[in-house]
């Protein structure tokens, strides 16, 4: 059992888009060093849940606390929160007018006030760790999707966050590029980084995650270790989901 206090605590969180009740009273927590995979059908609320953690989506009620920081509209809280949580998006979201190196150093220099020389040194080390050192002076348009996503991971790491959120990081990639990104994420998981990953990559989730959260119709329908989740399932919704994706 994990006796340390959770890094992230979610208590009875609700979210509506108009009449659509997207998150329905979700309560869960995430511990430091844990790799959590969030699975579920399209439209189940899993990406919305992830995005409420760093206030990219506002929750309507309930409470989210990240390393002691209450997630709300207070700008100072928000700034502190964004330093704690890195984010890797589906569509990479790199700045097209900046080089790879400048994309990675921008936040440390602007937000952490890291000197340019030190930021460059740290960025090159991170780019080396994701196999992108040789591309440091290229612009994003000169890179493949897989390369851009690896740069995006280095950029998230540059702020030395307590945890990284991944929102379907391979879904916009061509199949041959998926492995190179998943390999980087596997190494990151092995290093002890706290990771919360919305993904459709079942093999990856099974191999790398410490726990699986299955989100169904805005609720956490199951929270289990991978070996239990992928075994014979009692839950008919989970069975149906696994049946669909295995074909």
């Amino acid at each position: 059992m994990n006796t340390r206090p959770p890094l992230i605590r979610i208590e009875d969180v609700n979210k509506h888009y108009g009449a659509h009740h997207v998150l329905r009273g979700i309560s869960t927590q995430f511990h430091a060093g844990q790799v959590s995979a969030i699975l579920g059908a399209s439209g189940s609320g899993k990406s919305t849940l992830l995005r409420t953690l760093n206030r990219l989506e506002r929750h309507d009620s309930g409470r989210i606390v990240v390393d002691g920081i209450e997630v709300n509209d207070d700008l100072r809280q928000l700034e502190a929160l964004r330093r704690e949580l890195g984010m890797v998006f589906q569509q990479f979201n790199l700045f097209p007018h900046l080089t790879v190196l400048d994309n990675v150093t921008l936040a440390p220099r602007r937000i952490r006030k890291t000197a340019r020389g030190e930021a460059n040194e740290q960025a090159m080390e991170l780019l080396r760790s994701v196999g992108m050192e040789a591309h440091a002076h290229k612009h994003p348009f000169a890179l493949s999707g897989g390369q851009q996503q690896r740069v995006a991971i280095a950029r998230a790491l540059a702020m030395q966050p307590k945890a990284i959120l991944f929102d379907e990081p391979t879904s916009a990639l061509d199949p041959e590029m998926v492995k190179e990104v998943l390999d980087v994420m596997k190494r990151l998981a092995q290093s002890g980084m706290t990771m919360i990953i919305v993904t459709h990559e079942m093999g990856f989730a099974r191999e790398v995650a410490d726990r699986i959260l299955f989100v169904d119709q805005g609720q956490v329908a199951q929270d289990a270790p991978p070996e239990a989740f992928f075994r014979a399932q009692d839950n008919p919704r989970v069975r149906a989901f696994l049946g669909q994706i295995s074909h």
Side-chain angles (χ1 to χ4, degrees):
M1 282 293 290
N2 201 328
T3 54
R4 287 180 299 177
L7 181 67
I8 298 170
R9 210 166 66 246
I10 301 170
E11 298 171 358
D12 196 22
V13 163
N14 287 273
K15 169 72 181 173
H16 297 79
Y17 292 122
H20 183 34
H21 196 171
V22 189
L23 301 179
R24 299 168 175 264
I26 286 185
S27 295
T28 189
Q29 51 193 35
F30 300 93
H31 285 271
Q34 192 177 58
V35 178
S36 304
I38 302 178
L39 309 182
S42 294
S44 59
K46 55 193 189 298
S47 283
T48 303
L49 174 62
L50 190 79
R51 291 164 69 89
T52 59
L53 300 183
N54 63 357
R55 204 60 170 174
L56 288 176
E57 297 280 1
R58 282 185 173 85
H59 53 290
D60 298 325
S61 64
R63 196 162 175 250
I64 301 173
V65 181
V66 176
D67 199 24
I69 302 163
E70 183 93 33
V71 178
N72 56 33
D73 282 333
D74 183 299
L75 288 177
R76 281 169 306 183
Q77 297 275 83
L78 207 51
E79 203 173 283
L81 177 72
R82 300 267 164 88
R83 282 199 293 264
E84 299 283 334
L85 294 180
M87 180 93 182
V88 177
F89 299 89
Q90 278 182 48
Q91 300 291 346
F92 329 131
N93 287 15
L94 299 176
F95 293 109
H97 62 291
L98 297 181
T99 64
V100 162
L101 183 63
D102 286 339
N103 263 284
V104 177
T105 60
L106 184 65
R109 285 173 45 218
R110 288 255 179 100
I111 298 168
R112 291 205 184 273
K113 309 299 181 198
T114 308
R116 184 186 284 271
E118 188 186 340
N120 284 356
E121 204 175 296
Q122 290 169 354
M124 290 304 287
E125 186 58 44
L126 288 169
L127 289 170
R128 198 172 300 127
S129 75
V130 299
M132 290 300 294
E133 184 186 16
H135 303 275
H137 300 292
K138 292 181 180 175
H139 283 77
F141 68 81
L143 306 176
S144 71
Q147 289 173 325
Q148 289 188 59
Q149 195 60 296
R150 284 187 279 152
V151 172
I153 293 171
R155 180 181 61 180
L157 289 167
M159 282 295 285
Q160 300 169 2
K162 296 276 177 69
I164 300 188
L165 314 177
F166 293 84
D167 190 5
E168 300 198 33
T170 58
S171 65
L173 299 179
D174 293 333
E176 67 272 16
M177 293 173 192
V178 169
K179 184 180 182 300
E180 65 189 56
V181 172
L182 293 182
D183 284 347
V184 167
M185 291 172 66
K186 282 177 192 174
R187 289 199 299 275
L188 200 52
Q190 286 158 3
S191 77
M193 172 57 74
T194 309
M195 300 163 70
I196 305 174
I197 309 159
V198 171
T199 184
H200 288 294
E201 299 290 339
M202 295 300 127
F204 171 80
R206 189 173 202 154
E207 181 187 346
V208 176
D210 299 307
R211 67 194 282 222
I212 305 286
L213 282 86
F214 180 72
V215 177
D216 181 50
Q217 297 178 339
Q219 296 179 307
V220 177
Q222 196 160 104
D223 181 349
E227 62 272 17
F229 181 82
F230 288 103
R231 253 201 332 258
Q233 268 289 348
D234 296 335
N235 186 316
R237 304 285 297 193
V238 178
R239 254 202 331 267
F241 172 77
L242 292 174
Q244 278 178 330
I245 54 143
S246 63
H247 293 310

